[in-house]
Amino acid sequence: MRLIFAGTPDFAAQALRAIVAAGHEVALVLTQPDRPAGRGMALQPSPVKRLALENGIAVFQPPTLRDAAVQAQLAAVGAEVMVVAAYGLILPQAVLDLPRFGCLNIHASLLPRWRGAAPIQRALLAGDAETGVCIMQMEAGLDTGPVLLRGAFPIAAAETGATLHDRLAELGARLVVEALGKLPLPGEPQPAAGVTYAQKIDKAEALIDWSRSAAELDRHIRAFNPFPGAQAQFAGQTVKLWRAVPLADGGEIGRILRVDRDSIVVACGSGALAVSELQKAGGKRLAVRDFLAGHPLKAGDRFDLPA
């Protein structure tokens, strides 16, 4: 099938790789303009752009798709379908209407739950028992279109944002190839009940509030691993927490109950959190025994509480 692919991060690159491997003709790749990154803040291509160039696929990086000249360039491709995965730009109706089979979106949730920008982290934060991927026929509304294919799996107890991302990216790649091979597919309208929105992650959300339950903070730490990293404050300094497990212990909120070579146990609003991997500002992620060598925390110390 002759298609246009629109995507930007690693999640999308995995789908593009699968589509190319399946033998489809990717005539054009749309991706976000190069962004400054790294210590030197040099312009860096997106993962999708790098993959496209490796495969000799033409790349187009318009800042908007609302421009008539841009739309004319897309129309000239003569694509039968457009596949969209975490692209980052709004597709106007004129673009949605271009391909014969329309535009298909790979969305990392079980729609209509978690429409929007951050479904992976929101599912973890909410303690959802399962998640999955929907291949959706795009329309003007935000993730409101009919679902062509869906796949689901349970969320594991130790799942992080990183591991869940990788599992969903793999599922999304497999499902979109399956969908492309079966077009045209009937769409299942999304039910009106059960709609939730996955708002974009704000870095301010990363701050840990020790008055919340240990179970909530466990999900908080896992959801924000790797981005933006759950942040606690100790003596006015930021410490990122990367790995922890909830315990039934209790005590004064934010107080360190005990410290050993494997964990620092901190009292929460309900229960306690046994933290096993930390990172000081500007430092590396360290296991507790290595962290304690340079930062001697002890039982009785207390993490700062949010104002």
Side-chain angles (χ1 to χ4, degrees):
M1 187 161 287
R2 183 174 174 82
L3 60 89
I4 294 173
F5 184 89
T8 298
D10 287 320
F11 181 91
Q14 187 151 335
L16 176 59
R17 187 177 295 109
I19 289 168
V20 170
H24 294 286
E25 180 190 357
V26 183
L28 183 67
V29 159
L30 298 175
T31 192
Q32 287 279 298
D34 297 359
R35 306 291 191 203
R39 293 191 176 183
M41 296 303 285
L43 289 177
Q44 299 292 329
S46 72
V48 163
K49 180 179 179 179
R50 291 197 299 269
L51 181 61
L53 295 178
E54 288 169 10
N55 285 274
I57 302 170
V59 174
F60 188 28
Q61 297 174 275
T64 177
L65 298 182
R66 299 189 182 280
D67 184 87
V70 169
Q71 294 172 12
Q73 188 165 339
L74 298 181
V77 173
E80 296 172 89
V81 67
M82 183 187 294
V83 174
V84 181
Y87 176 34
L89 288 183
I90 298 295
L91 272 62
Q93 192 64 49
V95 173
L96 294 174
D97 293 340
L98 282 176
R100 178 160 63 102
F101 293 114
C103 300
L104 308 187
N105 179 242
I106 307 170
H107 187 76
S109 82
L110 297 176
L111 294 167
R113 186 163 177 79
W114 302 129
R115 294 174 179 171
I120 297 174
Q121 292 94 334
R122 297 300 175 194
L124 284 171
L125 286 168
D128 289 3
E130 67 171 0
T131 188
V133 169
C134 288
I135 307 300
M136 177 194 67
Q137 191 81 49
M138 295 181 71
E139 56 184 33
L142 177 63
D143 299 328
T144 57
V147 174
L148 307 184
L149 283 178
R150 70 171 66 220
F153 56 75
I155 296 177
E159 202 86 65
T160 67
T163 62
L164 192 54
H165 168 279
D166 292 350
R167 293 176 70 196
L168 289 165
E170 180 181 358
L171 176 58
R174 178 171 60 80
L175 286 179
V176 77
V177 169
E178 181 182 345
L180 289 173
K182 293 179 176 179
L183 289 177
L185 277 167
E188 177 188 344
Q190 294 184 36
V195 174
T196 58
Y197 287 94
Q199 301 294 334
K200 184 178 179 180
I201 297 298
D202 188 319
K203 287 186 178 181
E205 292 182 74
L207 185 62
I208 284 178
D209 178 357
W210 293 104
S211 68
R212 294 164 61 191
S213 73
E216 287 179 283
L217 293 182
D218 167 47
R219 297 198 301 267
H220 180 102
I221 291 169
R222 291 187 287 110
F224 293 152
N225 178 356
F227 176 83
Q231 299 179 14
Q233 296 288 314
F234 185 85
Q237 302 296 311
T238 297
V239 179
K240 287 190 175 183
L241 309 184
W242 291 109
R243 195 176 302 275
V245 294
L247 302 176
D249 302 47
E252 184 184 359
I253 292 171
R255 188 73 68 186
I256 297 177
L257 303 179
R258 59 183 181 277
V259 176
D260 58 35
R261 286 175 53 82
D262 298 317
S263 65
I264 298 168
V265 179
V266 187
C268 306
S270 172
L273 209 57
V275 181
S276 58
E277 188 177 351
L278 308 87
Q279 178 184 13
K280 70 170 185 177
K284 298 179 180 179
R285 292 171 59 159
L286 297 172
V288 162
R289 64 181 66 112
D290 299 317
F291 186 87
L292 291 174
H295 309 83
L297 303 181
K298 62 184 185 301
D301 288 345
R302 193 181 189 193
F303 279 88
D304 302 343
L305 303 181

